[in-house]
Amino acid sequence: MTGSKGEIMTLRPEGTPTPYTAFHDEPFPEVFGHPTEAVVSADGQWLAVSSVISDLSRVVVYRTADLSCAQVLHFAMETDTMAFHPTLPLLAIGFDNGDGYTREGNLILLEPESGHRVDLPDTNWGVELVRWTDAHTLELTLCAMDDGDTYERSRATFVREDWLGLAPDDLAPHPVDAPLIDPDAQLPYPELEPAPSVLQALAERAGRSYACKGGVRAVAGLSDGRVLATRRDTTLECRRSDGEVLWSVPAPTAAPGTRIVVSADERTARVSVPGPDSRTRTDFPLVDLADGTVLDTPSVPFSAALSARTDGVWAIRDTYDRDVYRMADPVPNTLVFAPDGTPLGAVYEPDRYELDPLDARRCPELLFTRRRRRDVIALGPGAAGSAVETPLFTLDEPAILAVYVSDAAGPALLTGWGELVRRTFPAGEVVWRRPMDAVIAALDAYDGVVHALCEDDTLVSLDATDGTVLERRTLPPYGKLSLHAAPDGTVLVGTTAGQILRYPS
């Protein structure tokens, strides 16, 4: 849906349109910037794209005429086999859970225009290949494991005169001919172009571009309306308030940056960027926000998480899963630095997961928790390269996200996970609790309003003083990934698809 001046709109639950501006507005956002296979119907009218991430599949069907989305399917199995019927608007999709002991699969027949579908699940075989041999015959190659050891294949066919408008039991329970075949035989896979190439060609034909860089893991807005973001192959990019890219810093690897910390004067930003092997390197470049010049690139030989306090002091915590008891020369697993990168202190914990950073934004302290007791401590530089721990309070609920506010009700820390809690700071006394409808994925606050990005694809804005819900916005299905409440009054949401959604506050 499009509003005035090209604004894209979603609908709030109560039906009122919520406008947002989309930066990096590429086509095919529903595949999350991660297309695994793309097939086009014989008449060229339909495009089916699969996206498989961590055994979860999303199959999206588009109209090639305008690249609009027709259907979206979600499934808790992998798919990398799809085939359009040679003459009919019908898509066959095969799924396989890949389990060596409890193999399961599914065949879905989908009519793109109407969305009518028929499922044929199988609790013993996965679907390895679907193929239309002619207008009447659908051939399946099935696969299974025998006790996690012996790989088996069989082949089955369905023959029908009419393939449209099927009822759920028209193909049930199973095809009668499913003989075993050679598990090492070469299968008749179709010769397909790589999915990104197919999407790029279709986008170009429509006068658009598709870079397939996706994954805005971190986003930040500046006072003048500029927007900073990380994405694949990019350490940091800067856009004007109208979305035009001003400059971009290439990343040393394809891994996107995971955190952006902007200095109080907005002249520089420090970024956390995983190396080519995230276990053995993390870079923390300091970038001049005027033109993207990299001023300094400190690096550590392990994976690390970045946190910072409002005066620019920052810390990294070693997140590489190693056995410190077997290391000849154990290294400190938490390091504290001055804004310019000068080392200020270090902490070594034999149980390295005992001291865990609390992802606290806008906070004047570096906050950590002791995992077993949920004690919240402030960590700061001490004498002779040491670090000082100041106990603050103990949490009585799980919390991995936090944001500091200071308003008419006083300084406070808002923590979130399954509920949002306001505590006085630094005493930690509970002021109010607000149960949330879904787990909070990201949290930020500005000018008296706290914003919670939730796992049910909603953006919930609340009054920071009393927890009153001010607005609940439904996000488009592009994969929420990062959040920032910008000083110009807008709220930025980075998506898995690569878009940056800019909402008015």
Side-chain angles (χ1 to χ4, degrees):
M1 184 182 296
T2 303
S4 62
K5 297 182 181 179
E7 287 183 323
I8 303 171
M9 295 185 178
T10 56
L11 292 180
R12 302 180 193 176
E14 62 269 25
T16 305
T18 302
Y20 68 83
T21 303
F23 296 169
H24 196 78
D25 188 19
E26 293 187 331
F28 319 115
E30 293 82 4
V31 297
F32 291 168
H34 185 73
T36 52
E37 183 178 3
V39 294
V40 179
S41 62
D43 61 6
Q45 295 187 28
W46 301 101
L47 165 71
V49 188
S50 64
S51 177
V52 181
I53 303 175
S54 300
D55 299 327
L56 300 176
S57 295
R58 172 176 280 209
V59 176
V60 189
V61 181
Y62 297 93
R63 301 174 183 89
T64 58
D66 58 5
L67 307 186
S68 61
C69 177
Q71 305 293 336
V72 181
L73 278 67
H74 305 267
F75 221 85
M77 291 186 190
E78 290 193 3
T79 178
D80 58 3
T81 177
M82 303 183 295
F84 277 104
H85 189 279
T87 59
L88 300 173
L90 181 66
L91 176 68
I93 315 168
F95 294 87
D96 178 16
N97 73 348
D99 193 284
Y101 294 88
T102 56
R103 201 69 161 212
E104 291 184 21
N106 194 17
L107 169 69
I108 292 180
L109 295 174
L110 174 70
E111 298 179 28
E113 189 65 61
S114 66
H116 176 73
R117 64 181 261 192
V118 175
D119 289 46
L120 185 63
D122 194 313
T123 57
N124 297 298
W125 295 85
V127 181
E128 190 172 6
L129 179 64
V130 295
R131 190 167 72 106
W132 296 95
T133 58
D134 57 45
H136 304 293
T137 308
L138 175 63
E139 179 185 272
L140 307 182
T141 301
L142 309 173
C143 58
M145 292 288 286
D146 184 7
D147 295 329
D149 182 34
T150 304
Y151 187 74
E152 295 182 331
R153 275 181 180 159
S154 68
R155 182 161 291 151
T157 55
F158 294 98
V159 180
R160 292 185 60 86
E161 290 297 318
D162 185 7
W163 280 96
L164 296 180
L166 296 179
D169 58 351
D170 282 349
L171 299 179
H174 296 288
V176 293
D177 56 330
L180 292 178
I181 61 175
D182 183 359
D184 298 321
Q186 185 173 355
L187 296 182
Y189 285 107
E191 294 185 4
L192 298 175
E193 288 288 325
S197 299
V198 175
L199 302 191
Q200 287 165 359
L202 288 171
E204 184 177 349
R205 191 178 72 180
R208 303 180 68 184
S209 62
Y210 183 68
C212 193
K213 286 191 173 183
V216 180
R217 290 286 304 276
V219 63
L222 303 179
S223 300
D224 60 6
R226 286 180 295 162
V227 175
L228 308 175
T230 68
R231 64 178 73 249
R232 190 163 61 241
D233 300 315
T234 303
T235 291
L236 191 66
E237 68 178 22
C238 180
R239 294 175 181 264
R240 293 192 324 195
S241 57
D242 62 2
E244 181 182 344
V245 177
L246 293 172
W247 50 259
S248 178
V249 180
T253 68
T258 57
R259 185 73 183 267
I260 302 171
V261 176
V262 179
S263 63
D265 59 11
E266 295 190 346
R267 293 183 178 181
T268 61
R270 190 164 303 271
V271 189
S272 175
V273 184
D277 180 348
S278 60
R279 297 172 299 174
T280 57
R281 192 179 108 202
T282 309
D283 298 333
F284 299 96
L286 183 66
V287 181
D288 188 324
L289 297 184
D291 56 10
T293 300
V294 178
L295 305 174
D296 185 26
T297 310
S299 182
V300 292
F302 46 80
S303 59
L306 171 66
S307 56
R309 65 190 195 190
T310 49
D311 65 357
V313 171
W314 54 287
I316 62 170
R317 189 263 196 174
D318 180 0
T319 59
Y320 179 30
D321 188 9
R322 74 188 84 210
D323 188 348
V324 296
Y325 295 100
R326 295 185 180 182
M327 295 175 62
D329 185 21
V331 296
N333 45 38
T334 302
L335 305 172
V336 183
F337 301 89
D340 63 1
T342 302
L344 295 179
V347 177
Y348 171 72
E349 286 280 351
D351 183 354
R352 50 193 299 280
Y353 288 113
E354 174 66 5
L355 189 64
D356 218 14
L358 180 62
D359 187 5
R361 297 190 179 189
R362 308 179 187 275
C363 190
E365 301 287 352
L366 291 171
L367 298 186
F368 286 73
T369 61
R370 290 203 171 276
R371 180 169 295 191
R372 290 191 180 91
R373 297 187 298 275
R374 291 182 180 169
D375 291 343
V376 176
I377 66 170
L379 185 68
S386 64
V388 177
E389 299 181 18
T390 304
L392 300 180
F393 55 88
T394 299
L395 294 167
D396 57 3
E397 75 285 336
I400 57 175
L401 302 170
V403 61
Y404 173 87
V405 298
S406 183
D407 49 31
L413 192 71
L414 293 154
T415 59
W417 190 61
E419 63 178 350
L420 192 60
V421 182
R422 177 173 175 134
R423 296 176 178 272
T424 60
F425 191 84
E429 297 175 354
V430 174
V431 179
W432 54 258
R433 295 180 183 272
R434 168 68 63 180
M436 303 297 286
D437 294 335
V439 170
I440 299 173
L443 191 65
D444 202 7
Y446 190 78
D447 197 23
V449 180
V450 58
H451 304 279
L453 186 62
C454 299
E455 293 291 354
D456 62 353
D457 288 330
T458 59
L459 175 63
V460 184
S461 301
L462 308 93
D463 188 311
T465 58
D466 59 14
T468 300
V469 175
L470 304 175
E471 192 166 17
R472 187 185 303 272
R473 290 172 269 212
T474 301
L475 303 175
Y478 304 156
K480 75 273 171 220
L481 202 56
S482 54
L483 172 72
H484 187 252
D488 66 354
T490 61
V491 183
L492 303 170
V493 177
T495 70
T496 308
Q499 291 185 334
I500 302 169
L501 312 180
R502 190 172 200 163
Y503 288 92
S505 60

